[in-house]
Amino acid sequence: MSEKKRRMQAALVGIGVLLFCTVTVGSALELELYHDFGFEDISTGVTVCSEDRVFVSFPRWFKAGRAANPSVAVLDGKGQMQAFPRSGSFAQPWEEGVPRENHFVNIQSIFCDHKDRLFVLDTGTPFLGASEGAKLILFSPDGELQRVFPFDKDVAPETSYLNDVRVTREGNHAILTDSNLGGLVVLDLENGESWKVLADHPSTHAEDIVAKVEGQEVRLGTGDPAKFQSDGLAVLGDYLFYCAMTSRTLYRIPVKRLVDRESSDNVLSALVERVSSTNMPDGIVAASDEELSRGVIFMTGVEGSSIDYIDAVKGTRENLISDERLQWPDCVSVPLIRSGKPTYLYVTVSQVHLLPFMKNDIERTRGYGLYRVLLPSKITSSISSASSLAEKGGGEKDEI
């Protein structure tokens, strides 16, 4: 037996034979409808803060057909939803003509980081129009407004659409994606400065594919294939993992170099590594320990109506669960993994392929909802002991 094979076998034993888990997981799990949002209001964002407080967000995409759901809300797990925050200007509904800097205009995503800080991303694009006043708003989970980070036109021009956000292990930088123009945005959470990187790099742009969901090609109303750029992202260990929405490839890049203002795009391009094939994810999240040092990368699978994850040893994609109710699984969230405590994965279902701006022949029969699935203990317990993609090695540099 070769030395390489011996090391691989030792690694498998060390993580409690995680590969056995990947064979049995998908068939044993149950997808639970955690909250039904009804037939009108799309929820795209979900995040879980301390004490298992579940937050959701609703984008302002259309003028017609919007119900009374707030831009951001807290769920109690019993069918009740409470607007967030309860007081202050951000608690007041935004209307056309009202200043945008202290209101929720179009909330695309929300994220509670490992320091229990709640970030709310406002694209500044009501009704999918021009971006104006894009900002990242920082709250405590109790609703205390802590800071507003506005983005200038160099970072968020009129044609941009800031989509998702994650925070580095040190907690002093946020990283965002632009799903319309492509690229990554780095925000210094201490001085408020932000800048864009890899705007022209292939890893942040749609691949030359025509996606299929529920047997139907994903095309715009014009008939052109839908092309969405950089979207999902997650921080685990020393790396940022990310991908374009219309793509089947997951990439990673060292966080330390990414957030260095002196790193040129040429330098960063050389550091991009291909991690794995994907099932066209919209949302990505790291299920990790409190230090973000070890964990598993979970991804939604839009083409497969699934939730997938990256195997900690091989760097390959495995299926967690597939279900026909996952009609365009969107944002995904997992709270920090704590020993001995059951952990749920939460996912919103936005049915993007059935929206008015899409060409489709499928009748929409389900409302929008938030689902969850209990993660197997074999996955959660492995996080404290398994080798991880967050450690050096495991990726392969692409000549792109």
Side-chain angles (χ1 to χ4, degrees):
M1 182 183 297
S2 69
E3 182 62 26
K4 182 177 181 180
K5 289 185 177 179
R6 288 194 192 96
R7 289 198 300 269
M8 179 62 75
Q9 285 192 356
L12 292 176
V13 171
I15 66 170
V17 196
L18 182 61
L19 295 184
F20 173 77
C21 166
T22 65
V23 173
T24 60
V25 156
S27 60
L29 302 183
E30 292 186 8
L31 187 69
E32 172 192 352
L33 178 61
Y34 186 75
H35 195 99
D36 185 349
F37 299 120
F39 210 76
E40 294 182 323
D41 271 5
I42 304 166
S43 175
T44 54
V46 60
T47 193
V48 184
C49 291
S50 61
E51 301 177 1
D52 293 328
R53 285 175 287 185
V54 180
F55 294 79
V56 290
S57 62
F58 300 85
R60 187 176 275 105
W61 283 351
F62 308 108
K63 290 185 178 182
R66 182 173 170 83
N69 288 336
S71 290
V72 182
V74 188
L75 305 179
D76 67 358
K78 300 177 182 178
Q80 299 300 311
M81 181 165 56
Q82 184 179 89
F84 178 92
R86 297 298 303 278
S87 61
S89 62
F90 285 101
Q92 306 302 315
W94 177 82
E95 297 179 357
E96 292 185 82
V98 173
R100 301 185 180 196
E101 60 269 15
N102 55 1
H103 287 80
F104 291 146
V105 178
N106 181 37
I107 305 305
Q108 174 63 27
S109 60
I110 50 180
F111 178 65
C112 196
D113 74 350
H114 56 299
K115 297 180 180 294
D116 209 34
R117 299 177 296 180
L118 180 61
F119 293 84
V120 179
L121 178 55
D122 189 341
T123 68
T125 58
F127 318 121
L128 299 175
S131 177
E132 179 183 341
K135 56 189 177 291
L136 185 66
I137 311 116
L138 174 59
F139 291 96
S140 73
D142 295 324
E144 178 187 354
L145 175 63
Q146 298 182 341
R147 190 167 178 181
V148 177
F149 299 92
F151 296 105
D152 61 29
K153 291 295 184 182
D154 290 333
V155 168
E158 288 186 357
T159 53
S160 68
Y161 193 92
L162 298 183
N163 190 290
D164 211 345
V165 58
R166 294 294 183 265
V167 177
T168 60
R169 289 174 68 183
E170 293 75 19
N172 51 13
H173 288 89
I175 306 170
L176 304 90
T177 52
D178 185 335
S179 60
N180 196 45
L181 297 179
L184 303 174
V185 172
V186 181
L187 169 63
D188 188 319
L189 295 173
E190 295 179 353
N191 62 28
E193 294 181 358
S194 58
W195 61 97
K196 200 168 190 178
V197 297
L198 298 175
D200 299 318
H201 196 269
S203 65
T204 67
H205 286 265
E207 296 175 355
D208 188 19
I209 61 175
V210 179
K212 273 192 173 184
V213 178
E214 296 188 291
Q216 177 179 265
E217 291 186 345
V218 181
R219 294 182 178 272
L220 301 175
T222 60
D224 297 322
K227 299 288 185 182
F228 304 112
Q229 319 305 328
S230 47
D231 193 321
L233 73 171
V235 171
L236 183 58
D238 297 328
Y239 289 91
L240 173 78
F241 296 79
Y242 67 97
C243 68
M245 168 73 248
T246 310
S247 75
R248 300 186 181 119
T249 310
L250 179 69
Y251 297 94
R252 75 176 189 177
I253 189 170
V255 169
K256 184 176 181 180
R257 300 300 294 274
L258 181 67
V259 302
D260 183 354
R261 191 73 185 264
E262 302 302 316
S263 294
S264 68
D265 266 18
N266 286 337
V267 169
L268 294 177
S269 295
L271 297 173
V272 174
E273 295 178 311
R274 180 187 183 278
V275 176
S276 170
S277 64
T278 69
N279 211 357
M280 209 179 89
D282 193 332
I284 302 176
V285 70
S288 69
D289 59 10
E290 297 182 20
E291 301 299 324
L292 300 187
S293 59
R294 299 182 184 276
V296 173
I297 299 293
F298 285 97
M299 308 176 291
T300 61
V302 171
E303 289 189 303
S305 298
S306 64
I307 305 296
D308 304 320
Y309 66 101
I310 299 297
D311 182 275
V313 174
K314 299 187 300 180
T316 55
R317 173 169 53 90
E318 306 287 348
N319 176 253
L320 177 74
I321 190 169
S322 298
D323 193 293
E324 64 179 10
R325 291 172 292 172
L326 293 175
Q327 293 177 293
W328 201 291
D330 201 313
C331 183
V332 62
S333 180
V334 178
L336 295 175
I337 304 298
R338 293 180 171 86
S339 179
K341 183 177 180 180
T343 304
Y344 285 90
L345 177 148
Y346 294 82
V347 57
T348 57
V349 173
S350 58
Q351 304 180 55
V352 170
H353 60 304
L354 304 181
L355 292 177
F357 56 76
M358 290 295 196
K359 181 180 180 179
N360 75 82
D361 299 314
I362 301 175
E363 181 182 359
R364 191 161 74 88
T365 59
R366 289 191 177 95
Y368 300 109
L370 174 67
Y371 293 84
R372 73 176 186 176
V373 60
L374 180 64
L375 294 179
S377 60
K378 289 183 179 180
I379 288 182
T380 56
S381 62
S382 72
I383 288 175
S384 62
S385 59
S387 298
S388 167
L389 281 172
E391 299 174 351
K392 293 183 178 179
E396 55 185 71
K397 290 187 178 179
D398 269 12
E399 298 298 327
I400 51 179

